[in-house]
Amino acid sequence: MVTSTWKRYVYPCWKPTLDNEGENSSSRGGDPGGSVDGLWWYKDLGHHVNGEFSMAVIQANNTLEDQSQLESGSMSLIEAGPQGTFVGIYDGHAGAEAARFINGRLFENVKKFTSEDQVMSADVISKAYLATEEEFLSLVRKQWQTRPQIASVGSCCLVGIICSGMLYIANAGDSRAVLGKRERALKEVKAVQLSSEHNASLESVREELRSLHPDDPNVVVLKHKVWRVKGIIQVSRSIGDAYLKRAEFNREPLLHKFRFPGTFQKPILLAEPSIFVQKLLPEDQFLIFASDGLWEHLSNQEAVDIVSSCEHHGIARKLIKAALQEAAKKREMRYADLKRIDRGVRRHFHDDITVIVLFLDSHLISRSSFRAPVVSIKGGRGGP
């Protein structure tokens, strides 16, 4: 059944441009590092070991708190190691420092542990998350006296890895990965959410928090109609947020709004990701990785309908534009007026949004020993 939402977003796919968005920069020329245009950063089309990809970022905060990367080539430090594609979406909060740190360290840790184990696995990914967490907490400890607010900075962390025909999805926080899967009998592409989310708005997450902290009646609190961990933060898993991981940082000179009464013996937030593993099949068409700013405005199926009905070039930007159109509609304003709002004030209308779309070529995925050119690209680097 064709919905009005589907028609609203898919119809423009047959237009030759994205309403001139990005036309002032070198989008179609193929800037290998991506292009910047105002609050946009994007790489409209590129090639990874297993197919094509499209990336885009729109900034809303004064400082861009989303960071992202795509790495394609060796997944280990050993030249003869497994080849694959790594995608990371890092949605920072209370600052960009944690997301930037993860952008520089997590993939390096994945390669380190893959080399040690000589194979990609869920255990490798989990160890890489926890190692990156420990490295960041060490940095916080070193800077605590001179930059105490770094103890309040954290980031959600969503990772996708394709290696040896297997797909690994790891998540800590509330970013999301969605698979577009072709249903041959129905002749349509169905959305399949692959990531588990860790947000206190979910009853299952609140139950997990209460079971982990049975002696703390205030571990999760309903505040201004929003469930928050310790009445402060919505996500229950992250990298960073040292003040909720180590009691030594829950004190002055940390800002009062991040401190809470009492102490704690074990971390309130976890850094360990939920991990999903599956073998990729020919009917698996593409993967959409995005920070929660996209999913606040588009459903999984709406996003999949847009990707499955449009050309690959510029599809990540098109998804973000669809979300922005919905954000404007919710505020009863025109999209053209939303585009004129500058960063900072713009955060009142939508969050920073990062999208990476990976198209899956089953012929390339089956060639596990295929050596493609190395790709390394980090999203949003041109932003403040």
Side-chain angles (χ1 to χ4, degrees):
M1 182 173 144
V2 179
T3 66
S4 58
T5 301
W6 188 91
K7 287 191 289 186
R8 187 163 67 251
Y9 297 137
V10 171
Y11 177 73
C13 291
W14 284 275
K15 293 182 181 179
T17 70
L18 282 159
D19 296 340
N20 294 322
E21 287 177 322
E23 293 302 306
N24 295 327
S25 54
S26 54
S27 162
R28 200 166 283 274
D31 181 354
S35 302
V36 177
D37 181 20
L39 299 179
W40 286 91
W41 175 94
Y42 54 91
K43 171 74 174 176
D44 275 340
L45 194 66
H47 292 84
H48 62 106
V49 171
N50 302 290
E52 295 180 328
F53 71 88
S54 180
M55 300 173 66
V57 181
I58 189 73
Q59 181 175 349
N61 287 290
N62 270 319
T63 298
L64 179 67
E65 294 183 336
D66 276 15
Q67 299 290 306
S68 56
Q69 67 185 124
L70 184 145
E71 311 287 342
S72 194
S74 178
M75 294 290 105
S76 78
L77 299 173
I78 303 166
E79 187 176 341
Q83 299 286 298
T85 300
F86 174 101
V87 167
I89 303 270
Y90 318 124
D91 181 358
H93 44 261
E97 292 91 339
R100 290 173 180 166
F101 185 90
I102 299 165
N103 215 8
R105 291 300 306 150
L106 182 59
F107 180 58
E108 295 306 311
N109 282 325
V110 166
K111 289 196 294 184
K112 171 189 168 185
F113 290 115
T114 303
S115 301
E116 290 179 2
D117 292 8
Q118 299 184 347
V119 67
M120 178 62 68
S121 68
D123 187 54
V124 160
I125 299 167
S126 183
K127 287 190 291 189
Y129 267 68
L130 296 178
T132 305
E133 162 89 340
E134 287 305 314
E135 289 170 358
F136 186 72
L137 294 183
S138 286
L139 177 67
V140 172
R141 194 170 286 110
K142 288 175 184 175
Q143 298 188 2
W144 170 248
Q145 294 299 327
T146 55
R147 295 183 63 215
Q149 298 319 314
I150 196 171
S152 66
V153 176
S155 180
C156 299
C157 186
L158 171 65
V159 162
I161 298 175
I162 299 172
C163 188
S164 303
M166 300 298 291
L167 171 65
Y168 303 83
I169 301 291
N171 195 38
D174 56 6
S175 296
R176 187 181 301 172
V178 173
L179 171 69
K181 189 179 190 72
R182 184 166 296 284
E183 297 283 354
R184 296 184 186 278
L186 301 175
K187 296 183 179 180
E188 59 185 26
V189 181
K190 284 290 190 182
V192 181
Q193 183 170 326
L194 302 180
S195 54
S196 298
E197 293 173 20
H198 311 108
N199 189 300
S201 64
L202 300 171
E203 177 63 31
S204 60
V205 171
R206 297 197 296 275
E207 288 302 318
E208 179 183 60
L209 286 163
R210 289 170 183 141
S211 67
L212 291 171
H213 306 276
D215 299 324
D216 185 354
N218 296 314
V219 68
V220 59
V221 177
L222 187 62
K223 191 173 182 180
H224 305 304
K225 299 182 180 180
V226 177
W227 287 101
R228 296 181 183 274
V229 182
K230 300 302 290 184
I232 300 171
I233 190 171
Q234 287 185 269
V235 295
S236 64
R237 300 195 191 192
S238 70
I239 289 178
D241 296 303
Y243 71 109
L244 289 164
K245 307 283 183 63
R246 303 284 189 272
E248 65 190 276
F249 302 118
N250 179 34
R251 60 182 175 87
E252 292 183 339
L254 189 67
L255 287 175
H256 182 268
K257 68 178 180 177
F258 293 111
R259 302 198 310 267
F260 50 90
T263 187
F264 54 94
Q265 300 302 316
K266 61 181 180 179
I268 296 169
L269 301 191
L270 300 177
E272 187 172 352
S274 295
I275 301 178
F276 171 85
V277 183
Q278 75 169 32
K279 181 178 178 60
L280 284 170
L281 301 172
E283 54 264 33
D284 298 333
Q285 302 292 293
F286 54 83
L287 293 157
I288 305 170
F289 299 88
S291 53
D292 70 319
L294 182 83
W295 308 112
E296 287 174 5
H297 303 293
L298 294 182
S299 72
N300 295 349
Q301 192 60 53
E302 285 170 344
V304 164
D305 287 344
I306 293 168
V307 176
S308 64
S309 304
C310 298
E311 65 173 16
H312 294 186
H313 184 278
I315 193 60
R317 268 200 295 161
K318 193 171 291 292
L319 280 171
I320 293 178
K321 180 182 175 184
L324 298 183
Q325 288 173 327
E326 279 298 300
K329 181 181 175 184
K330 288 173 184 176
R331 299 299 289 269
E332 299 182 341
M333 65 188 300
R334 297 183 307 166
Y335 173 58
D337 295 327
L338 176 62
K339 287 198 295 182
R340 286 194 280 268
I341 299 174
D342 203 359
R343 63 179 189 234
V345 175
R346 192 151 173 167
R347 182 61 184 88
H348 296 289
F349 298 86
H350 66 86
D351 200 354
D352 296 334
I353 303 175
T354 297
V355 174
I356 300 177
V357 180
L358 281 190
F359 293 97
L360 306 174
D361 185 324
S362 59
H363 299 293
L364 293 177
I365 291 169
S366 65
R367 296 164 63 188
S368 58
S369 61
F370 177 62
R371 290 290 192 269
V374 173
V375 177
S376 180
I377 185 167
K378 297 195 175 182
R381 296 182 71 183

